Amino acid sequence: MPVIAVIGAQWGDEGKGKVIDLLAEKAGVVVRFSGGDNAGHTVINPFGEFALHLLPSGIFSSQTICIIGNGVVINPAALIDEIDLLNQRGVDTSNLAISDRANLIMPYHILLDGLEEKWRGGKALGTTGKGIGPAFADKVARYGIRAGDLLDKEALLERLRQVLDYKNAILTKVYGVEALSLDEIYQQYCQYGERLAPYIRETTVIVEEALNREELVLLEGAQGTFLDPDFGTYPYTTSSSPLAGGGCLGAGISPTRINRILAVFKAYCTRVGEGPLPTELKDETGDFIREQAHEYGTTTGRPRRCGWFDAVAARFSTRINGFTGATITRLDILDTLPRLKICVGYQLDGKTIDYFPSSIAALDKCQPIYEELPGWQVPTTDIREYEQLPPQARQYIDRLEKLISCPINLISVGPERGQTIFKTPIL
Ligand code: IMP
């Protein structure tokens, strides 16, 4: 059985949770490989409706081992709350494993996330405030504390003392706020360690064993391609790689093992937080899409910015991820619109370009060039066969397929598992 990576192809919130939940029933293992509790994966299934921030979206399938990979930064308090919530609602989480190499979010990360945003003033990034950037910065600066450190209290104290000395110097001398207490953090993280110890282990071996048993392995991305620190709209990005390549690093799996890379695109675009969104609609169509689709952040509740489908960005996303197939989600949101637009190029400094510029200054100046298509103006939420879609909806999907240059495998016409059209096989 293969490895399928499920990747956010736009600015996050594309509906990866639904796709993973749908595929997880057949999977032996699901690995969440990037981000932290900045993510919010919405899943609606027979257990009810859930917003998952850290737990892999395969957690509802009891025969599937769900791994929080080494590439994720974990806020232990948020994870324990999420486990408790699911248990209270009848979901068994004993199938969870946490990589001992995953870095932890510490109280100073959350504090510094807020302080750094304030420091940026008018140029604030609009982060989720969950401490994600400071935690990943510490990981590469080698100040991180990892899940495995929770298993050895003496070593944890030693490490925390060393790191906190440095963090407190920054908090007090740069930001002029109070130092944090070593004892309080230590006691708290010892408690988290006791609670999470049964789940923490070497996880790459679990993936290896599943592959040897020929089971399906899913890599679950968080955020989306244009929030990638290298290829996204830097510096308005997140701090870990949501790309297919990030899946290898964040799950501890060789690139040669990945067989399929499944993009998740919304039928239009959204973005939450600051930074360029070339097709943004600051008009009543944008407001209509936001309200119709309830486009508000799952993690922060902030209104999402909405715009037309951007095929220039999508083509770039296909190139750097190597998508072998795509899912188009939320097609039903467009059901009532009389005309639809797809961005097929940009106008930049009087020239037409067909590539996604790397600089945000250039992106800010890009004017979308649109192609217009007729809307279908009939409900699609009950349709399950591609051929049953109205001709204008098929025309829209066919056009997207050509523009993004990869086959469309799935189309989602509503939030529930069943509201899915299987257009072509993923495998
Ligand atoms: P951070 O990841 O909290 O540092 O936020 C950096 C940027 O990424 C902000 O613009 C956030 O709104 C955005 N972001 C982070 N996580 C998500 C997500 O799961 N979906 C959409 N945007 C996100």
Side-chain angles (χ1 to χ4, degrees):
M1 283 289 261
V3 178
I4 304 176
V6 179
I7 303 297
Q10 295 160 317
W11 279 268
D13 309 315
E14 298 91 349
K16 297 175 288 293
K18 170 175 169 172
V19 177
I20 293 280
D21 178 60
L22 198 66
L23 302 178
E25 277 178 330
K26 296 194 187 101
V29 175
V30 177
V31 193
R32 173 71 198 273
F33 68 76
S34 68
D37 63 325
N38 50 351
H41 292 178
T42 304
V43 174
I44 302 177
N45 61 26
F47 287 99
E49 179 168 348
F50 299 86
L52 300 176
H53 301 286
L54 281 162
L55 289 171
S57 306
I59 197 77
F60 304 94
S61 164
S62 56
Q63 81 284 3
T64 306
I65 302 175
C66 284
I67 298 175
I68 301 180
N70 56 281
V72 177
V73 286
I74 300 173
N75 177 336
L79 178 56
I80 291 168
D81 280 353
E82 210 168 303
I83 292 173
D84 287 345
L85 191 85
L86 260 72
N87 293 163
Q88 281 157 21
R89 293 179 64 186
V91 182
D92 175 21
T93 50
S94 56
N95 53 341
L96 174 68
I98 301 170
S99 167
D100 51 4
R101 293 180 168 87
N103 275 244
L104 299 177
I105 294 192
M106 306 299 292
Y108 42 82
H109 292 139
I110 297 169
L111 198 55
L112 284 165
D113 198 353
L115 292 167
E116 287 170 7
E117 279 286 82
K118 232 189 224 156
W119 187 273
R120 291 184 190 110
K123 301 268 185 215
L125 305 178
T127 73
T128 58
K130 302 286 181 183
I132 305 297
F136 278 112
D138 270 1
K139 174 178 171 175
V140 289
R142 291 149 297 174
Y143 281 113
I145 295 179
R146 310 205 294 183
D149 295 332
L150 296 177
L151 303 178
D152 180 341
K153 288 186 180 173
E154 259 175 52
L156 174 66
L157 181 59
E158 177 94 347
R159 178 78 178 147
L160 186 58
R161 181 176 286 122
Q162 181 205 358
V163 174
L164 194 62
D165 267 355
Y166 173 63
K167 293 290 160 186
N168 274 337
I170 294 177
L171 288 172
T172 55
K173 293 179 185 158
V174 176
Y175 291 104
V177 299
E178 266 183 44
L180 297 175
S181 151
L182 172 66
D183 192 50
E184 269 176 35
I185 299 178
Y186 175 65
Q187 295 302 340
Q188 181 141 63
Y189 276 68
C190 283
Q191 281 178 20
Y192 295 149
E194 280 161 24
R195 185 67 209 283
L196 295 176
Y199 302 108
I200 299 173
R201 64 190 76 156
E202 155 64 68
T203 52
T204 58
V205 70
I206 302 176
V207 177
E208 178 67 19
E209 283 169 4
L211 290 176
N212 291 342
R213 288 194 299 270
E214 308 227 316
E215 292 173 0
L216 173 66
V217 173
L218 298 177
L219 302 185
E220 176 174 3
Q223 289 86 46
T225 295
F226 296 101
L227 294 175
D228 179 77
D230 286 286
F231 294 101
T233 52
Y234 190 84
Y236 295 94
T237 62
T238 191
S239 306
S240 62
S241 177
L243 305 181
C248 297
L249 291 174
I253 187 166
S254 159
T256 59
R257 308 298 301 251
I258 298 186
N259 310 78
R260 292 287 185 275
I261 301 174
L262 180 62
V264 187
F265 288 100
K266 257 181 210 173
Y268 47 92
C269 280
T270 63
R271 168 165 208 162
V272 62
E274 302 306 317
L277 179 66
T279 60
E280 183 167 8
L281 288 164
K282 294 180 181 163
D283 61 9
E284 53 192 35
T285 308
D287 295 342
F288 168 82
I289 293 175
R290 183 177 313 104
E291 296 315 312
Q292 186 74 7
H294 194 71
E295 291 289 0
Y296 290 87
T298 316
T299 302
T300 59
R302 290 178 294 177
R304 295 183 186 138
R305 298 152 60 196
C306 301
W308 295 119
F309 190 91
D310 185 337
V312 180
R315 252 197 322 267
F316 182 55
S317 190
T318 303
R319 169 140 52 87
I320 56 174
N321 284 292
F323 296 136
T324 58
T327 297
I328 301 293
T329 63
R330 300 204 150 193
L331 185 73
D332 54 300
I333 298 303
L334 307 178
D335 280 355
T336 56
L337 292 173
R339 312 251 347 135
L340 304 173
K341 291 186 186 180
I342 301 174
C343 168
V344 292
Y346 300 140
Q347 195 75 24
L348 174 63
D349 295 333
K351 286 196 194 112
T352 300
I353 60 166
D354 64 356
Y355 61 88
F356 191 81
S358 63
S359 114
I360 52 162
L363 274 167
D364 275 337
K365 285 194 281 175
C366 281
Q367 292 300 318
I369 299 169
Y370 288 118
E371 208 173 89
E372 268 197 53
L373 277 82
W376 42 96
Q377 299 192 279
V378 287
T380 56
T381 46
D382 292 330
I383 295 175
R384 301 291 174 266
E385 301 291 331
Y386 184 67
E387 289 67 31
Q388 311 276 298
L389 281 173
Q392 297 90 335
R394 277 182 279 140
Q395 189 189 353
Y396 186 70
I397 292 287
D398 287 349
R399 188 67 188 125
L400 294 189
E401 192 164 54
K402 269 214 183 71
L403 288 166
I404 65 182
S405 343
C406 79
I408 290 173
N409 302 142
L410 306 176
I411 300 163
S412 173
V413 288
E416 307 208 352
R417 262 188 199 170
Q419 292 180 296
T420 309
I421 297 170
F422 291 82
K423 181 172 181 280
T424 51
I426 296 171
L427 294 170

